[in-house]
Amino acid sequence: MKRHRSVWSLLTILMIFTAYLVFPFQMAHAANDNQLIYDEAGLLSQEDKSELNAMAHEYGAKRETDIIIFTSDNPEGRDVQEMTEDFYDEQAPGYDKAHGNAVILTLDLYHRDIYLAGFYKAKQYLDDGRLDKIREKITPDLTDGDYKLAFEKYIKTTYKYMGYKPDVNPDNIFFNIWFQLGGAVVIGGIVVGIMAYRSGGRVTVSGRTYEDASTSGVLDHQDRYIRTTTTKRKIEKNTGSGSGGGGTTKGGHSHSGSRGSF
């Protein structure tokens, strides 16, 4: 009898241990399967959607923000900003909670418009100006029909920009690691050069050492005006211009924004 009890006790412990291992895995797996790519326009293959979804989860988790892509043929001809706001109200995305931290890229194939919106933490770290920069980086690829590449740039640039404090230009050359390394090398070279120069002793002889001031002077001076030339240069127009900014959804959620065409 005692032996049977021991066997049952051992089985119970094993079942509890197994459940402890399995359930967290299932919860993590379910969270990883959370949809972030809504390709209603059918621009991507299933493999592309899976890869982009995994990338959005990976980079978004590091910034605690849902990075979302929403494409639509928009047969009703709705405004792209309105589509984005309604999507946020209805789908209730957010890394931390429903209607939480999220950035949404909406592609309207009917008007060939693009809109980016940042909510809560994304609104703070991705203001209108930063969203403009992201849109400008991906617009050429969208125009060329290379949608996967454009979406990859959107995800990675969103991750990069959210790593900088608000009100800072993330494209400032001083933040570039190669510029920083190059600057360090140049400064180091200058310091070494000065030290090497000084280690050889100072030169005290100059041109004035043997100069006779009583016989030296300017013999002649002449200025001659030749002509003035004026050139004209055509200023190219920006074909990927955008306008607008953020707003507030019908559900009362304010957001930053950037819109344009492709």
Side-chain angles (χ1 to χ4, degrees):
M1 187 71 176
K2 291 182 179 180
R3 184 179 179 182
H4 286 297
R5 288 180 179 177
S6 299
V7 172
W8 279 110
S9 298
L10 180 61
L11 289 174
T12 301
I13 292 172
L14 288 173
M15 291 174 64
I16 293 173
F17 182 72
T18 302
Y20 177 80
L21 293 177
V22 171
F23 285 125
F25 173 79
Q26 289 179 338
M27 290 174 65
H29 182 71
N32 190 53
D33 285 342
N34 182 34
Q35 185 179 358
L36 296 175
I37 312 300
Y38 297 80
D39 183 30
E40 295 182 3
L43 305 177
L44 304 166
S45 66
Q46 187 59 48
E47 181 180 358
D48 289 344
K49 285 190 288 186
S50 297
E51 291 178 2
L52 289 169
N53 200 65
M55 180 184 293
H57 273 287
E58 177 186 354
Y59 285 93
K62 296 175 182 178
R63 299 295 184 235
E64 298 184 344
T65 300
D66 275 358
I67 303 176
I68 297 170
I69 296 170
F70 171 42
T71 74
S72 174
D73 287 325
N74 190 19
E76 299 175 357
R78 300 170 62 202
D79 179 76
V80 67
Q81 180 174 342
E82 180 186 354
M83 290 170 59
T84 307
E85 293 174 348
D86 288 350
F87 177 92
Y88 186 83
D89 282 343
E90 295 165 5
Q91 297 294 332
Y95 178 87
D96 52 336
K97 61 181 180 180
H99 291 128
N101 304 333
V103 55
I104 303 174
L105 183 161
T106 301
L107 216 60
D108 167 19
L109 274 296
Y110 183 86
H111 298 106
R112 294 192 66 82
D113 283 342
I114 176 177
Y115 189 77
L116 289 92
F119 295 85
Y120 294 96
K121 182 180 180 180
K123 177 187 176 183
Q124 181 183 5
Y125 283 84
L126 298 174
D127 58 15
D128 296 353
R130 289 188 179 182
L131 290 180
D132 283 340
K133 289 178 177 290
I134 296 174
R135 179 177 53 78
E136 289 165 2
K137 288 179 184 294
I138 67 176
T139 294
D141 296 314
L142 294 174
T143 303
D144 293 340
D146 199 340
Y147 299 111
K148 183 183 179 184
L149 178 60
F151 295 152
E152 287 175 347
K153 287 183 180 180
Y154 155 69
I155 293 171
K156 293 179 179 179
T157 308
T158 293
Y159 165 77
K160 174 187 173 183
Y161 282 7
M162 290 191 73
Y164 294 95
K165 293 180 179 179
D167 302 322
V168 171
N169 180 7
D171 289 332
N172 191 319
I173 191 171
F174 291 105
F175 293 139
N176 186 294
I177 184 63
W178 295 111
F179 178 84
Q180 293 173 356
L181 291 174
V185 170
V186 171
I187 293 173
I190 293 173
V191 172
V192 172
I194 293 173
M195 293 175 64
Y197 173 77
R198 289 184 174 179
S199 66
R202 289 193 172 187
V203 178
T204 58
V205 179
S206 67
R208 292 184 176 274
T209 303
Y210 306 102
E211 179 183 341
D212 185 352
S214 63
T215 59
S216 300
V218 178
L219 299 178
D220 192 14
H221 179 80
Q222 183 180 32
D223 290 331
R224 178 178 296 175
Y225 173 78
I226 301 177
R227 65 178 178 275
T228 300
T229 304
T230 303
T231 60
K232 294 183 178 181
R233 181 172 63 88
K234 180 181 179 182
I235 301 177
E236 299 293 338
K237 294 183 178 180
N238 182 6
T239 56
S241 60
S243 60
T248 303
T249 72
K250 297 172 184 174
H253 304 283
S254 64
H255 61 87
S256 56
S258 173
R259 68 182 299 160
S261 57
F262 64 96

